Amino acid sequence: MEKQIVFSGVQPSGNLTLGNYIGAIKNWIKLQDEYDCNFSVVNLHAITVPQVPANLRKNTLEVLAIYLAAGLDPEKSDIFIQSHVPEHLELSWILNSISYMGQLGRMTQYKEKSQKSEENLNAALFTYPVLMAADILIYGTDLVPVGEDQKQHLELARDLADRFNNKYSETFVVPEPLIQKEGARIMSLQDPTKKMSKSDENENGYILILDDRDTIIRKVKRAVTDSIGIVQYTDEQPGVKNLLNIYSVLTDRPVEEIVKDYEGKGYGDFKGDLAIVIADYLEPVRDRYEEIIKDKEYLESVYKTGAENARKKARKMLSKVQRKVGFIPMI
Ligand code: ATP
Ligand code: LTN
């Protein structure tokens, strides 16, 4: 039987957080044996908000190195930089022609980000989810492992696949989101009603995958909790709830068991132990990262091979789509 197809990506729009790791990358690792996987550093998406070119360049290689340090294996998966596979953009133009302005205007991420940049609102931010749909549909993707915040974009990708299939005949697979129940939405350590985000202006709100031990301990200690003072899992204590979620995913232990361990103990003990759990978890990733990021030749070989393989697959789908919409092949 043919393997099912997986696609996912992270934007090189800053340093990756524990939220990106738990919500996305960590879940990709275990898919590699069972699925035909494609993982991309989605730099075309990153320029929908202002970027300093030198930083974008640096972040792109950093994200790639984090992928590899986390355990993505170029022998098993195609790992590539989005702009090296321009077919995504060609498909995205065609999908734009069947996308409704109204639906794009209702995307939560667009609404949030456009408010932040009102005076200089760019068109790419608006059509961003169409490019994301192209990323996914061009590989005939069955499954898209993402965090909770991407659910709406995935719904759009599904709509576009359906709409195209109905208008031009069966072409695209309608993809399913793969959202892990635990850790789908890691919250900010400073405001547990907001998601942990790499673009947060308060650096105490997030833990970076590459943060050192002391920084991790300091940030966890400063995490906002409440005055109730009991380690328990309830909506009235969103800060503690978030910390328990992180603890549980990283140790693979049920929340109830962890809550029991802290019966009669305060937040100090709990946070102290959690900081060590996080630091121990990230340390080997950071060590591998330090090795990989130095090896530019290796990084180049990974993204070059990844893009070559991805392009072969992408071209096939693109030609099919072009034929269906009435474009004449050159030869
Ligand atoms: P930004 O905050 O700059 O908008 P981001 O941190 O959301 O970006 P993305 O590149 O947009 O990062 O997301 C990459 C992946 O990480 C997506 O699958 C997304 O769902 C997941 N993700 C991001 N933040 C979290 C979080 N706080 N909890 C769980 N998953 C997350
Ligand atoms: N929109 C995503 C990043 C992204 C993506 C994708 C995720 C771009 N293309 C395709 C999954 C599949 C984000 O902002 N997290």
Side-chain angles (χ1 to χ4, degrees):
M1 234 179 59
E2 291 251 314
K3 281 185 178 175
Q4 283 205 313
I5 297 169
V6 163
F7 182 94
S8 199
V10 172
Q11 300 184 55
S13 50
N15 294 317
L16 298 199
T17 69
L18 188 63
N20 297 129
Y21 198 85
I22 296 177
I25 301 172
K26 177 173 180 285
N27 307 313
W28 303 353
I29 313 300
K30 43 187 190 245
L31 299 172
Q32 297 183 100
D33 289 317
E34 251 183 87
Y35 296 89
D36 175 358
C37 291
N38 305 278
F39 298 113
S40 183
V41 182
V42 289
N43 58 344
L44 297 170
H45 279 91
I47 61 165
T48 57
V49 297
Q51 300 289 341
V52 177
N55 293 346
L56 182 60
R57 229 170 266 134
K58 185 162 170 280
N59 288 334
T60 302
L61 290 183
E62 279 182 16
V63 173
L64 183 71
I66 287 181
Y67 281 4
L68 299 166
L72 289 191
D73 180 352
E75 300 287 325
K76 297 179 183 166
S77 305
D78 285 327
I79 304 170
F80 62 95
I81 296 170
Q82 188 186 24
S83 61
H84 292 165
V85 187
E87 286 79 5
H88 291 217
L89 291 163
E90 298 186 59
L91 178 59
S92 143
W93 179 253
I94 295 173
L95 294 178
N96 262 312
S97 73
I98 57 162
S99 297
Y100 302 139
M101 305 277 285
Q103 191 175 14
L104 295 182
R106 284 194 295 278
M107 295 291 128
T108 314
Q109 183 176 306
Y110 169 72
K111 287 199 273 188
E112 281 174 9
K113 292 200 175 172
S114 58
Q115 269 167 10
K116 280 191 202 157
S117 58
E118 240 166 47
E119 73 285 3
N120 191 15
L121 200 51
N122 71 76
L125 192 64
F126 189 68
T127 54
Y128 167 122
V130 182
L131 177 59
M132 174 162 165
D135 297 339
I136 297 167
L137 301 183
I138 204 159
Y139 298 103
T141 302
D142 299 283
L143 280 180
V144 186
V146 281
E148 181 74 37
D149 62 318
Q150 294 302 311
K151 210 172 165 183
Q152 196 186 27
H153 288 160
L154 231 96
E155 218 29 72
L156 179 88
R158 290 168 55 85
D159 281 354
L160 290 176
D162 260 333
R163 202 173 298 152
F164 189 95
N165 290 348
N166 288 328
K167 188 167 176 185
Y168 296 104
S169 82
E170 204 58 31
T171 310
F172 293 123
V173 175
V174 181
E176 295 284 342
L178 184 65
I179 299 172
Q180 230 66 21
K181 261 199 251 73
E182 307 80 20
R185 198 170 164 78
I186 300 298
M187 309 311 279
S188 156
L189 300 182
Q190 289 299 309
D191 177 359
T193 62
K194 278 188 348 199
K195 77 161 192 169
M196 182 181 284
S197 161
K198 55 175 130 75
S199 42
D200 195 336
E201 62 279 356
N202 182 352
E203 61 170 34
N204 287 319
Y206 51 73
I207 289 173
L208 298 178
I209 297 176
L210 300 179
D211 272 345
D212 59 39
R213 245 189 143 72
D214 290 347
T215 310
I216 294 174
I217 292 170
R218 179 166 45 81
K219 287 180 176 175
V220 174
K221 281 205 172 130
R222 287 198 189 157
V224 168
T225 48
D226 51 68
S227 55
I228 298 173
I230 303 169
V231 179
Q232 53 188 357
Y233 196 75
T234 83
D235 288 337
E236 279 89 86
Q237 293 170 256
V240 175
K241 187 177 175 185
N242 185 41
L243 298 180
L244 276 167
N245 274 331
I246 297 174
Y247 205 134
S248 165
V249 220
L250 295 188
T251 55
D252 247 331
R253 292 175 60 204
V255 165
E256 307 81 63
E257 212 181 285
I258 299 165
V259 167
K260 265 218 179 83
D261 283 354
Y262 292 94
E263 254 173 46
K265 293 185 187 166
Y267 293 158
D269 287 336
F270 173 57
K271 282 179 169 180
D273 292 348
L274 174 60
I276 291 169
V277 164
I278 299 173
D280 285 350
Y281 190 90
L282 293 179
E283 193 165 75
V285 180
R286 207 173 66 233
D287 288 348
R288 280 194 297 273
Y289 169 86
E290 297 299 347
E291 288 302 310
I292 295 169
I293 196 68
K294 282 190 275 190
D295 194 347
K296 294 290 183 284
E297 233 171 83
Y298 175 61
L299 288 169
E300 275 169 28
S301 78
V302 169
Y303 68 63
K304 187 159 177 283
T305 311
E308 280 166 1
N309 293 340
R311 283 198 85 172
K312 277 187 209 133
K313 301 185 264 189
R315 270 203 213 107
K316 254 193 211 153
M317 179 65 89
L318 184 65
S319 313
K320 194 159 140 192
V321 171
Q322 287 176 330
R323 245 185 302 117
K324 294 208 183 192
V325 299
F327 295 170
I328 297 172
M330 197 167 68
I331 32 152

